[in-house]
Amino acid sequence: EQGFTVQGDGYNGQFEQPIFGAITISGMNLLADWNRREADGSSLHMQTYFDETTRNDPLEFQDRMKIFDFEFQREIPLASSDLQWGGGYRFAHDATANGLLTAFIPAVMDLNWENLFAQDEIRLKPDLKLTLGLRLDRNVYTGTEALPDIRIAWKPSDDQLLWSALSRAVREPSRIDKDFFFPGNPPYAITGGPEFVSEVSDVLEVGYRVEPTKVASFSITAFYQYYENLRSGEPQPDGSFQVENGTAGRVAGIETWTDLQLTDRWRVSAGLTELRQHFWTRRGYHDPDGSVDLGNDPDHQWSLRSTFKVTSTLDFNVTTRSIGELPDPAIPAYTALDASLDWRPNATVDLSVFLQNICGSGHVEYAPSVFDPTSDFDRSASVRLLLRW
């Protein structure tokens, strides 16, 4: 049993910049996907992708990026486990031209990434599974990075699941870390860091899911993340700043979600997130405000969503969301009410009407700047028509 698909997109857009003129972005992408499944349950998946994007920003920089990507994955069912392994390769050709505010040196660069991974889901008992995984990523800047992952899941009954995971995540350096210069011509105020290394996060998660009845479900997840080598700006003797890894931090939080099927036509969902963060400048570094920027997230968020099936082809949705205040720069907390009407008369037509911020005169979600002087989200209405064939 096998399948092959190809899809592509082309785009050309213009975004008005209030002071320095429009930004234009254009490009195309093409993706091919092939899958094969054997009678014994094993499978092979291969995918290749090409993307070309051109960005013309008179203020910052001009860029033309070509990306080719290939990846494959093999799945093999064994007697007491399910083994997955695979790998991938990505090549990018990046050609830039300096703008008034930004330069990348060297202006033209070829980038390569390779990866290999393996994961085995081991059935220790009928109700207990252990998953061991390892991914090796190789990049042009820091060489090979290891990303291990350990997960265990226990299902004490058909309607309960208790799980935990310990993993390592890595953000490898990019050109914005190594090759970036501000402004576009010397003398530079900010420069990329030749010694910049990968940012690392060690993550511990514990979760519980339960479906006490056929119409109700509940989940809760607690997480703790420790960050090392986070991006910072280090003062230099000439008064400039250089990108370095001078920040560390920890993040802890809880996420909960509840889903209720009140009637055959009416479903209600609610979610809550509590987040606590602490970032600091590592010993030996002197970033004046990098740790403050990293911690600018709300402590509290909640949402409530109602979905009512008016008819077999018409849905009415209402969502209330509340976001806590941001500390620095200070942004007030806000609560917003949105609604939508979705009509799907057949498999070809999808017509939706959206209403946002129905009950308020508007709210601010981020700090405005000289490049984006308006950041108010006011009442708005929009219509979307999607045709499939």
Side-chain angles (χ1 to χ4, degrees):
E1 184 178 305
Q2 60 186 11
F4 178 71
T5 61
V6 177
Q7 65 184 57
D9 292 290
Y11 49 91
N12 185 18
Q14 179 170 297
F15 307 91
E16 293 299 327
Q17 202 167 229
I19 299 178
F20 296 97
I23 301 171
T24 59
I25 298 178
S26 61
M28 56 81 64
N29 59 68
L30 184 67
L31 183 146
D33 185 276
W34 181 76
N35 294 277
R36 180 181 179 87
R37 182 168 293 276
E38 305 290 348
D40 62 358
S42 62
S43 65
L44 176 64
H45 167 78
M46 289 192 293
Q47 176 179 290
T48 185
Y49 175 81
F50 177 77
D51 179 277
E52 181 175 355
T53 300
T54 300
R55 172 193 174 100
N56 186 1
D57 185 339
L59 178 62
E60 294 191 356
F61 66 98
Q62 292 78 48
D63 181 51
R64 186 171 186 179
M65 175 79 77
K66 297 180 180 179
I67 297 175
F68 169 78
D69 182 272
F70 172 79
E71 62 183 49
F72 74 94
Q73 178 174 313
R74 180 82 166 126
E75 297 184 25
I76 305 173
L78 303 175
S80 59
S81 67
D82 295 310
L83 176 65
Q84 300 180 20
W85 67 277
Y89 170 77
R90 173 174 289 193
F91 169 80
H93 177 76
D94 187 27
T96 67
N98 294 356
L100 178 63
L101 294 183
T102 304
F104 287 89
I105 301 174
V108 179
M109 192 169 182
D110 291 337
L111 303 166
N112 296 273
W113 300 266
E114 302 93 23
N115 72 81
L116 290 172
F117 70 90
Q119 176 179 289
D120 196 8
E121 185 179 274
I122 305 167
R123 292 180 289 275
L124 302 176
K125 295 181 179 181
D127 60 352
L128 186 63
K129 291 183 180 180
L130 174 67
T131 302
L132 303 175
L134 176 64
R135 177 185 173 105
L136 299 176
D137 275 359
R138 179 175 174 81
N139 67 88
V140 69
Y141 292 118
T142 62
T144 302
E145 302 281 0
L147 290 82
D149 179 81
I150 302 174
R151 296 176 178 268
I152 190 164
W154 177 45
K155 198 170 184 180
S157 63
D158 291 340
D159 58 2
Q160 296 184 78
L161 177 66
L162 180 64
W163 61 275
S164 182
L166 181 62
S167 57
R168 182 178 189 262
V170 172
R171 189 189 75 84
E172 300 164 352
S174 65
R175 297 204 68 191
I176 198 71
D177 306 305
K178 291 278 196 175
D179 309 324
F180 172 82
F181 291 80
F182 170 85
N185 295 285
Y188 300 118
I190 301 174
T191 64
E195 304 301 322
F196 188 87
V197 298
S198 297
E199 298 178 310
V200 177
S201 175
D202 295 312
V203 182
L204 173 64
E205 302 168 279
V206 178
Y208 175 70
R209 292 199 296 266
V210 61
E211 296 182 7
T213 68
K214 293 183 178 180
V215 299
S217 63
F218 173 78
S219 68
I220 182 169
T221 301
F223 56 89
Y224 176 83
Q225 303 165 347
Y226 181 77
Y227 292 91
E228 294 182 281
N229 302 331
L230 296 182
R231 195 174 191 264
S232 64
E234 187 70 10
Q236 301 299 300
D238 62 359
S240 66
F241 287 82
Q242 182 172 282
V243 176
E244 295 194 14
N245 302 91
T247 304
R250 55 177 178 265
V251 175
I254 294 177
E255 296 180 348
T256 65
W257 190 260
T258 301
D259 192 271
L260 300 174
Q261 187 73 46
L262 299 179
T263 70
D264 291 342
R265 295 187 175 186
W266 188 19
R267 177 185 292 271
V268 175
S269 302
L272 170 67
T273 300
E274 289 287 329
L275 185 68
R276 300 295 182 268
Q277 303 176 99
H278 177 57
F279 294 93
W280 61 88
T281 300
R282 297 171 60 201
R283 181 176 299 178
Y285 293 88
H286 307 87
D287 187 352
D289 57 7
S291 59
V292 175
D293 295 339
L294 290 174
N296 195 38
D297 297 296
D299 287 344
H300 322 280
Q301 298 183 57
W302 63 262
S303 65
L304 179 65
R305 178 180 175 86
S306 168
T307 300
F308 186 74
K309 187 171 287 296
V310 182
T311 68
S312 60
T313 60
L314 185 65
D315 293 342
F316 177 60
N317 306 302
V318 177
T319 301
T320 303
R321 50 194 168 89
S322 180
I323 310 297
E325 64 182 5
L326 301 182
D328 189 5
I331 302 295
Y334 67 89
T335 300
L337 179 66
D338 306 328
S340 68
L341 197 63
D342 302 324
W343 182 51
R344 302 179 184 87
N346 50 52
T348 302
V349 178
D350 188 339
L351 178 64
S352 301
V353 179
F354 299 93
L355 300 175
Q356 292 182 297
N357 302 314
I358 298 172
C359 297
S361 59
H363 62 268
V364 177
E365 295 188 6
Y366 59 92
S369 68
V370 65
F371 309 117
D372 188 4
T374 59
S375 62
D376 284 346
F377 286 79
D378 296 316
R379 293 189 185 98
S380 65
S382 60
V383 178
R384 183 188 70 181
L385 176 62
L386 178 63
L387 300 177
R388 303 182 182 90
W389 64 89

